[in-house]
Amino acid sequence: MKQKIVFVTLFLAFLLVGTGLIYGFNTIIQASEMVSAPEPDTTNLNTNNNLNLDTVNIAVFGIDGRSDIEGDRSDTIMIVSLDFKDGSIKVTSVMRDLLVQIPATNNTNQSFDKINASYSYGGPELTVKTLNQNFDLNITDYVVVNFDAMVDIVDTLGGVEINVKNQEVLDWTNKYIDDVNDKVGRKDPYLTAIGPQTVTGVQALAYARNRYSDNDYERTQRQREVVEQIVKKAFNVDILTDVNLLTKVYPYIKTTLSVKEITTYTKAYLASTNKQFLEFRVPTDQFVRDDMINSVSYVVPTSLADNAIALHSFIYGSQQTTPTDGTTSSPDNSSSTNITSNTNSSTSTDTPYVPTDGLLKISAAISSYVGY
């Protein structure tokens, strides 16, 4: 069986949990010892060093922690962008079947493959390098979370609200509930209704893992929905719950972020008066098609460069450049939910993003590879 999902939610909770721990709890030191990952060689990550430093981009990888799953491809890939200019958290889902150029390693050649294959070839560091190279980003830190953590996070928060859209989503989520219960040793009940409802950790995990009721586009939307609800709840818990969350979370996390970085980012974010949660997905609807290559299904960017333009616009709010097809590029599938009552949008005077020569070459090479 292929790997099934895991989440980003932990990373957001991990940052937010730090709010209570900033004030002197020893638990955060314990956590740092439990989950620390080696610092990556930043000189080998293909970072774009010409980006606005007011925004920090961090990669989040979900891996399946179950012993019966073979392989180690990252099932969930997200980019969490912390914008300290306007106080927003921006979460970008990267579709795991996206066709990209994966850099060579000591054991593998450069290749065109699904982006989640990069995790199998070279772990989180190679996936960070792949994201940077294919989207002109500057990611140097990552968080890896495993399957079981979602259950404990949601249950510690007292559940989260989701919106089950239709009967197909309900039926397939219930099938996944059986699987999750079996793997984590719980007996949580099935969902019984369509529409908004508060769910347990097992139910939330099953809902986010479900991809057979529709497709991977909808699945990534469900993942972002659960992340958003966790963030909203985490903003309203007390310090004791914060500490309890961290003790539940840290056994499931590995990260290159230091305690100092976590507390610095958290303090800066908490100081903002206009906190927002914004979401996005790459590839966008405007520049993507599903295709079969050598009898394998791929999500193919019709223009990787135009997807990068849309992504940079979402993360940095920068002015638009002219896409390669001559149309006006805009971030598709994005939405925002205010976490505070301040609903003012930020504006930017940043220099317009222009894809680098390296990214343009990769974009052309992908188009040539698939014959577009």
Side-chain angles (χ1 to χ4, degrees):
M1 183 188 296
K2 292 184 178 180
Q3 290 182 317
K4 301 282 182 205
I5 286 201
V6 200
F7 312 93
V8 167
T9 58
L10 287 315
F11 170 65
L12 297 175
F14 189 53
L15 285 181
L16 295 171
V17 166
T19 61
L21 302 172
I22 288 171
Y23 302 102
F25 288 94
N26 291 328
T27 311
I28 198 166
I29 305 302
Q30 273 187 304
S32 68
E33 294 171 353
M34 293 288 290
V35 304
S36 59
E39 285 290 333
D41 178 6
T42 56
T43 63
N44 191 40
L45 292 179
N46 290 352
T47 55
N48 179 356
N49 296 318
N50 297 315
L51 300 177
N52 192 319
L53 298 181
D54 287 331
T55 297
V56 175
N57 297 309
I58 301 166
V60 181
F61 306 121
I63 59 171
D64 202 315
R66 297 178 293 170
S67 60
D68 64 331
I69 301 297
E70 295 182 358
D72 57 357
R73 292 192 176 201
S74 177
D75 193 71
T76 298
I77 301 173
M78 292 192 182
I79 302 163
V80 175
S81 304
L82 309 175
D83 189 331
F84 299 121
K85 294 177 299 181
D86 65 7
S88 63
I89 293 177
K90 300 176 181 178
V91 178
T92 301
S93 298
V94 182
M95 296 190 69
R96 63 181 186 171
D97 291 345
L98 177 65
L99 181 65
V100 295
Q101 184 182 83
I102 298 177
T105 70
N106 291 335
N107 301 313
T108 61
N109 295 323
Q110 178 177 284
S111 61
F112 295 109
D113 206 337
K114 297 181 180 184
I115 191 167
N116 69 340
S118 62
Y119 200 95
S120 177
Y121 298 157
E125 190 165 329
L126 181 61
T127 307
V128 166
K129 185 174 183 178
T130 301
L131 287 168
N132 287 337
Q133 182 170 293
N134 285 266
F135 292 105
D136 277 346
L137 293 173
N138 60 352
I139 302 170
T140 58
D141 285 299
Y142 61 81
V143 178
V144 179
V145 296
N146 111 349
F147 174 90
D148 298 334
M150 167 69 65
V151 176
D152 285 336
I153 285 276
V154 172
D155 286 344
T156 301
L157 290 171
V160 295
E161 185 170 292
I162 62 170
N163 182 20
V164 179
K165 290 183 177 180
N166 55 49
Q167 189 66 41
E168 279 291 301
V169 173
L170 179 68
D171 291 343
W172 275 103
T173 296
N174 284 335
K175 291 179 182 179
Y176 274 89
I177 285 174
D178 282 335
D179 183 63
V180 175
N181 273 330
D182 180 60
K183 301 309 176 185
V184 301
R186 302 285 183 92
K187 295 182 179 179
D188 286 21
Y190 286 162
L191 301 180
T192 59
I194 296 169
Q197 55 200 287
T198 299
V199 296
T200 68
V202 166
Q203 294 165 342
L205 177 56
Y207 176 73
R209 286 184 62 210
N210 165 27
R211 71 189 183 103
Y212 290 109
S213 60
D214 29 54
N215 52 49
D216 208 37
Y217 297 90
E218 292 296 324
R219 188 187 72 142
T220 59
Q221 175 60 41
R222 285 190 286 273
Q223 291 175 2
R224 295 193 299 273
E225 178 186 354
V226 174
V227 171
E228 177 187 344
Q229 293 305 312
I230 286 178
V231 171
K232 289 173 70 174
K233 277 213 134 179
F235 268 105
N236 295 303
V237 298
D238 56 34
I239 291 177
L240 290 178
T241 304
D242 276 338
V243 176
N244 191 25
L245 270 174
L246 186 58
T247 59
K248 296 283 189 182
V249 169
Y250 71 73
Y252 301 109
I253 291 180
K254 180 174 70 172
T255 180
T256 57
L257 291 167
S258 67
V259 171
K260 181 179 180 181
E261 287 171 320
I262 292 169
T263 54
T264 297
Y265 295 160
T266 304
K267 285 179 178 178
Y269 183 76
L270 290 175
S272 170
T273 58
N274 184 31
K275 299 178 181 66
Q276 296 183 83
F277 183 96
L278 302 135
E279 58 179 272
F280 192 59
R281 188 202 75 217
V282 285
T284 69
D285 284 346
Q286 189 175 0
F287 301 111
V288 68
R289 62 186 290 182
D290 297 329
D291 211 340
M292 299 293 294
I293 303 173
N294 298 324
S295 301
V296 177
S297 175
Y298 287 83
V299 173
V300 181
T302 55
S303 168
L304 184 66
D306 290 324
N307 277 291
I309 290 170
L311 176 60
H312 279 252
S313 177
F314 170 67
I315 293 175
Y316 296 101
S318 56
Q319 302 172 39
Q320 294 297 286
T321 58
T322 301
T324 57
D325 69 352
T327 65
T328 300
S329 177
S330 60
D332 293 341
N333 298 300
S334 62
S335 63
S336 66
T337 300
N338 290 331
I339 296 176
T340 71
S341 60
N342 190 334
T343 58
N344 293 329
S345 302
S346 65
T347 57
S348 174
T349 56
D350 294 345
T351 302
Y353 162 71
V354 178
T356 62
D357 289 343
L359 190 146
L360 290 173
K361 289 178 181 178
I362 294 172
S363 184
I366 289 175
S367 295
S368 176
Y369 177 73
V370 296
Y372 294 166

